[in-house]
Amino acid sequence: MGFLDQWSFLLPGFEAPPAAPSGPSPTGSPRIRKVLLAGQPFDWVLTRSSRKTVGMSIQQGLIRVTAPRWVSIEEIETILVGKSRWLINRHQEWLNAQRNRLEPTEQWAHGASLKFLGQTLQIHLDPAAQQISWDAAGQRLILPLSLQADHEQIRDRVHAWMQQQAKDILLERLDLLAAQAGLQYSRFQISHAKGRWGSCTQDGRIRLNWRLVQFSLPVIDYVVAHELAHLRAMDHSPGFWTEVAKILPSFEEGRAQLKGVRLED
Ligand SMILES: [Zn+2]
């Protein structure tokens, strides 16, 4: 992790002219402008500032630019086009992170959605239900709770259910890939570690984060194959990646989807 998520630089050949007399800036939301990057339209918004550099970042899927008052819109657009590749990559990371959010988009409430095995499920509260059930066809997670259930209650039930699912699903994938590759681990545990999808110790203990069940199988299998490969190589050398490919030839697919996704606690 730790990728550069802001870009800022001094414009070559520019000297800041004396500050123009500026009244109070107009209030209201900033205007959304469009720019074509590699043939694709992107929204961007501008904030004028007293700094001497042009800065840009992706926030909420929007390109946000801060620039001195003396840099024209045309000049800014030229700069954006020059940074196309960087902007498109950051935007893609943002999209990936959105797509893979486990937590409901709104709050923990009836009708909110969450991710499970790469599917979007809707939280459905049903006081008449006997137990939690996953309605795969209807893409719903039915909880035996009253419509007045509070957010923590809903979250705790969903988390408990997911952790139970994780135990079964992750162990199944681990055993399957280990057997196929002729590898043996010593112990499997579900982890709640912050910021880690999985780990493997010298003595062959593999831990997998329960939140992996939010993803589709290619992502889960990539993390499983990654940890299994550590049974043969503890580093991330080219030799290690050869081992990953032996266990799961299509590992790049899952790996790409996981890129830029932040693990919530
Ligand atoms: Zn590793």
Side-chain angles (χ1 to χ4, degrees), residues 86-123:
W86 184 84
L87 287 166
I88 290 169
N89 285 343
R90 293 295 85 76
H91 188 260
Q92 189 57 47
E93 282 167 2
W94 177 82
L95 279 180
N96 285 345
Q98 288 304 304
R99 206 170 291 136
N100 293 316
R101 280 181 71 86
L102 169 65
E103 303 303 330
T105 45
E106 299 132 55
Q107 282 175 308
W108 291 101
H110 183 82
S113 55
L114 55 86
K115 288 285 178 188
F116 181 66
L117 294 180
Q119 270 195 5
T120 301
L121 296 187
Q122 224 178 42
I123 294 176

Side-chain angles (χ1 to χ4, degrees), residues 198 222 226-227 230 234-236 240-241:
Y222 159 65
H226 183 120
E227 301 313 333
H230 279 317
M234 286 310 287
D235 52 16
H236 292 120
F240 164 80
W241 290 106

